[in-house]
Amino acid sequence: NAGVTQTPKFRILKIGQSMTLQCTQDMNHNYMYWYRQDPGMGLKLIYYSVGAGITDKGEVPNGYNVSRSTTEDFPLRLELAAPSQTSVYFCASSYSASGRYNEQFFGPGTRLTVL
Amino acid sequence: KNEVEQSPQNLTAQEGEFITINCSYSVGISALHWLQQHPGGGIVSLFMLSSGKKKHGRLIATINIQEKHSSLHITASHPRDSAVYICAVGKSYSGAGSYQLTFGKGTKLSVIP
């Protein structure tokens, strides 16, 4: 199993450009998450999904969009990139059922710089 | 005040020392997670616990639900333990059927040979 994979690893964007961060997991996990990590701060939840077709906002959703058309994929879309979106982005997944929750598995991260 | 507070922020230890990292939280939780972030940036889950104590190799995690406090201990520390250790509290939201983590800022551990 590859686990959770993210592409790209690094990206530099100009202000106002758009891009999609890709996230794929091969563990048949139903829950998926997008986090951002800024220097000196804890990870913050951007969006999450509890299954295909179901997504919801986290703590810091402004400037981002997500979709979940399949169990495996959970892309994060940045529209009109701003310098405040410079960060390291992590995708994570976990399996939950019948009210029981499990540990999250993290992707390797995408380092994004907006200039 | 942050929901999750970790101490210390930075910790330097000599190889072989016993290490303790503390985590306090201020809300009701479903479980507490300890994660390790490697110098290269990757994050792995170490423990998920809702009561008592768990042990994996040289790592031990404990939680006191009444005091809203958890500790991560590393016995016989080694330079390869150098990493950032992150505490996170998990809460379930029955209406949304979701489970979300709130993270501490992390403790940077350096173990010197």
Side-chain angles (χ1 to χ4, degrees):
Chain A
N1 284 352
V4 181
T5 58
Q6 290 183 237
T7 56
K9 285 188 168 55
F10 304 94
R11 183 73 185 267
I12 297 175
L13 280 182
K14 293 182 179 177
I15 295 172
Q17 287 185 322
S18 300
M19 76 164 293
T20 299
L21 281 67
Q22 302 291 346
C23 175
T24 300
Q25 54 91 10
D26 63 359
M27 297 174 282
N28 202 31
H29 286 171
N30 48 352
Y31 282 39
M32 294 188 75
Y33 304 85
W34 273 107
Y35 300 101
R36 60 177 287 171
Q37 186 179 40
D38 300 315
M41 303 296 293
L43 287 100
K44 302 286 187 188
L45 180 64
I46 305 171
Y47 270 95
Y48 68 93
S49 169
V50 301
I54 307 170
T55 63
D56 206 348
K57 297 176 181 178
E59 184 180 356
V60 290
N62 291 345
Y64 308 94
N65 275 301
V66 295
S67 60
R68 183 102 181 266
S69 57
T70 67
T71 299
E72 295 78 18
D73 299 306
F74 190 40
L76 178 71
R77 177 84 178 159
L78 279 72
E79 305 281 2
L80 298 175
S84 60
Q85 294 178 303
T86 294
S87 189
V88 181
Y89 292 84
F90 289 96
C91 178
S93 72
S94 67
Y95 181 73
S96 298
S98 303
R100 295 179 67 87
Y101 302 96
N102 297 299
E103 61 180 346
Q104 294 185 13
F105 292 81
F106 286 77
T110 295
R111 185 174 295 273
L112 175 67
T113 302
V114 182
L115 300 174
Chain B
K1 187 178 187 296
N2 292 332
E3 285 188 7
V4 183
E5 297 280 357
Q6 287 186 237
S7 63
Q9 287 187 340
N10 293 281
L11 180 57
T12 300
Q14 290 292 129
E15 183 173 356
E17 285 186 6
F18 180 85
I19 288 163
T20 297
I21 298 170
N22 296 299
C23 177
S24 296
Y25 55 93
S26 57
V27 295
I29 65 171
S30 299
L32 186 135
H33 300 246
W34 282 102
L35 307 104
Q36 181 191 54
Q37 185 166 26
H38 301 136
I43 299 172
V44 295
S45 177
L46 297 175
F47 295 103
M48 176 180 175
L49 67 166
S50 53
S51 64
K53 176 171 138 177
K54 286 191 175 181
K55 184 174 189 288
H56 182 67
R58 294 180 294 105
L59 274 61
I60 303 166
T62 64
I63 188 168
N64 184 317
I65 297 292
Q66 287 73 32
E67 294 187 3
K68 293 185 169 62
H69 181 269
S70 175
S71 294
L72 177 68
H73 305 286
I74 303 175
T75 62
S77 60
H78 190 275
R80 65 176 175 264
D81 297 326
S82 297
V84 175
Y85 292 85
I86 301 170
C87 171
V89 296
K91 291 181 282 187
S92 61
Y93 298 86
S94 58
S98 72
Y99 181 78
Q100 298 177 30
L101 297 184
T102 301
F103 296 82
K105 294 181 180 180
T107 295
K108 185 175 182 180
L109 171 66
S110 300
V111 182
I112 301 169

